[in-house]
Amino acid sequence: MERIYLDHASTSPTHPDVVKEMSPYMSGIFGNPSSIHSFGRESRQAIDDARQTISANIGAKSTEIIFTSGGTEADNLALIGVALANKHRGNHIITTKVEHHAILHTCEYLETQGFKVTYLPVKENGIVSIEDVKASLTDQTILVSIMLANNEVGAIQPIKELSEIVRANGAYVHSDIVQGYNLFPINVDDLGIDLLSVSGHKINGPKGVGYLYVRSGVKITPSLHGGEQERKRRAGTENVASIVGLKHAVQLSNKGRNERFELYSNYKKQMIDIFKQEEIDFSINGDLELTVPNILNVSFAGVSVEALLVNLDLIGIAASSGSACTAGSVDPSHVLVAMFGNGSERIQSSIRFSFGYGNNEEEIRKAAYEITKIVKRLTKH
């Protein structure tokens, strides 16, 4: 059975070139980067090169990059680190109701530590109101965390405009840019971002590695205590092989970005056109003009998303009902609830298709036709 993977927003396949680059660091080059002998210096050089490449990619300094175990740790370190180090300045944090759970659950934890958190609503297109952000700022606000692109519906937030308002109020800006990193050119100064989270496995790099950008002058309290790695900001022996893999994934993400954007846009259009052609009842969650090209979140009227996912899996098509971090949960998508309300039928009938490396037009079209067949069958019954 031919399998078709349309769940790149949950994780992406590691690029073969990334695996090739990592391989020497899992065998011959194995020294501890903190050791001063030649074995350690080889590993240290690899990390230094990776830090230079990655920082240059977002217009940052190499000293502003902290390697982490992934996006979740980067988000935790950003929010908890800034909150604890700056509580003398204030105790208020602002975020949105559609953030990744790595942000939302961290904010809930901070509330138990005496911090106040404002969870902003979004419009039906999944985008936060700039006026709501402005109205929520107080003299106690120390941090605003809003993602660049939503992982469930792909909605793109106006980060640059929001940053200008927030920083003028004296607060820091953090953005989880995991879902938009390989689709848009990112420059931290242009966007006005003070902290930024990235995950390797969303950009065809390895799992278990990511990074947090922290602008010079922004104080954070470390979450891990031990050695003096990462300039005393993140203790623990560095994952050298994965950091090398992350570096190469970043380099690959720079190549053909515009072509990739157009390719995924075409995949999305073809899938929508086939749904229309086959005359099935569907609604797109989010504004097509304001979403990333590789995510298509669709509601099929009268269709149980669980039944649809099972039927798709039986014929080898992988999709998702939302964030992979809530897989198996009976709770409705918090993103769709924020967009449409708790009573909306869309919450029970929405599915996410996400495109990426390894997909081609033929399988996108095949998947679209198979999806329509299943939807028609489930609707009929």
Side-chain angles (χ1 to χ4, degrees):
M1 177 177 65
E2 178 193 2
R3 297 196 300 170
I4 300 175
Y5 187 73
L6 300 179
D7 198 19
H8 292 262
S10 66
T11 194
S12 63
T14 307
H15 196 286
D17 290 350
V18 170
V19 175
K20 183 179 178 181
E21 291 291 324
M22 292 173 64
S23 182
Y25 295 89
M26 293 187 284
S27 54
I29 307 174
F30 58 84
N32 188 319
S34 297
S35 300
I36 61 172
H37 49 59
S38 62
F39 292 87
R41 293 198 304 273
E42 284 181 319
S43 294
R44 173 56 56 194
Q45 184 63 53
I47 293 175
D48 290 345
D49 289 346
R51 202 185 307 275
Q52 186 62 47
T53 296
I54 288 167
S55 61
N57 189 58
I58 59 170
K61 302 171 186 174
S62 61
T63 54
E64 296 173 321
I65 302 298
I66 303 173
F67 289 118
T68 67
S69 63
T72 293
E73 186 191 340
D75 286 343
N76 273 254
L77 180 56
L79 270 62
I80 298 173
V82 166
L84 295 182
N86 294 274
K87 57 186 177 182
H88 62 284
R89 297 176 50 208
N91 70 338
H92 182 224
I93 296 165
I94 298 172
T95 190
T96 78
K97 293 181 178 180
V98 297
E99 298 298 306
H100 191 279
H101 280 114
I103 294 293
L104 296 177
H105 289 168
T106 303
C107 285
E108 290 168 9
Y109 165 74
L110 286 170
E111 287 182 289
T112 70
Q113 303 302 303
F115 292 90
K116 296 179 180 179
V117 181
T118 298
Y119 300 91
L120 294 174
V122 293
K123 295 170 278 189
E124 278 207 353
N125 61 5
I127 297 174
V128 69
S129 162
I130 292 177
E131 291 306 313
D132 282 351
V133 174
K134 188 182 297 185
S136 299
L137 290 165
T138 74
D139 60 359
Q140 290 295 299
T141 306
I142 52 176
L143 179 66
V144 176
S145 179
I146 298 178
M147 66 192 345
L148 174 63
N150 185 265
N151 52 298
E152 291 196 27
V153 299
I156 303 169
Q157 303 292 352
I159 296 298
K160 186 172 183 176
E161 293 85 346
L162 293 172
S163 296
E164 292 176 0
I165 295 166
V166 172
R167 296 178 81 192
N169 194 75
Y172 295 130
V173 177
H174 167 257
S175 186
D176 179 328
I177 68 161
V178 166
Q179 287 295 344
Y181 188 75
N182 67 339
L183 295 168
F184 305 104
I186 304 294
N187 184 287
V188 290
D189 288 333
D190 288 346
L191 291 176
I193 294 175
D194 298 299
L195 303 101
L196 169 156
S197 302
V198 171
S199 181
H201 76 106
K202 299 297 178 75
I203 59 169
N204 305 118
K207 295 175 180 64
V209 69
Y211 75 84
L212 175 68
Y213 156 77
V214 182
R215 184 179 295 276
S216 297
V218 176
K219 292 183 179 180
I220 63 168
T221 297
S223 297
L224 299 177
H225 304 282
E228 299 187 356
Q229 293 88 354
E230 299 302 298
R231 297 169 66 87
K232 301 182 181 181
R233 298 169 298 185
R234 199 272 188 181
T237 302
E238 298 91 341
N239 184 351
V240 182
S242 290
I243 289 171
V244 169
L246 176 61
K247 167 196 170 183
H248 200 67
V250 166
Q251 290 174 317
L252 289 173
S253 74
N254 279 334
K255 297 177 181 177
R257 181 184 283 118
N258 293 338
E259 292 82 356
R260 189 164 55 243
F261 196 99
E262 290 300 318
L263 183 66
Y264 299 159
S265 297
N266 180 55
Y267 289 167
K268 183 187 281 192
K269 181 180 184 303
Q270 292 216 31
M271 186 167 273
I272 293 170
D273 286 347
I274 290 171
F275 292 165
K276 290 178 179 177
Q277 170 193 312
E278 293 297 307
E279 299 181 337
I280 57 174
D281 189 357
F282 74 99
S283 302
I284 296 170
N285 298 323
D287 185 336
L288 282 177
E289 300 300 316
L290 299 171
T291 56
V292 291
N294 64 322
I295 293 179
L296 175 61
N297 195 300
V298 184
S299 172
F300 297 104
V303 174
S304 162
V305 65
E306 288 85 359
L308 180 54
L309 285 172
V310 168
N311 276 270
L312 286 173
D313 189 47
L314 287 172
I315 60 172
I317 298 175
S320 170
S321 59
S323 171
C325 300
T326 55
S329 171
V330 295
D331 296 331
S333 160
H334 69 285
V335 174
L336 297 179
V337 168
M339 291 169 65
F340 304 116
N342 220 350
S344 174
E345 190 270 341
R346 291 197 192 196
I347 295 169
Q348 305 301 327
S349 62
S350 293
I351 187 168
R352 179 187 68 186
F353 305 103
S354 48
F355 320 117
Y357 173 75
N359 287 141
N360 58 58
E361 184 176 325
E362 180 183 350
E363 63 180 14
I364 297 299
R365 293 182 63 82
K366 178 181 178 180
Y369 281 115
E370 292 295 337
I371 292 161
T372 60
K373 288 179 189 176
I374 295 172
V375 169
K376 287 177 181 179
R377 187 170 70 247
L378 293 175
T379 305
K380 184 177 180 181
H381 289 298

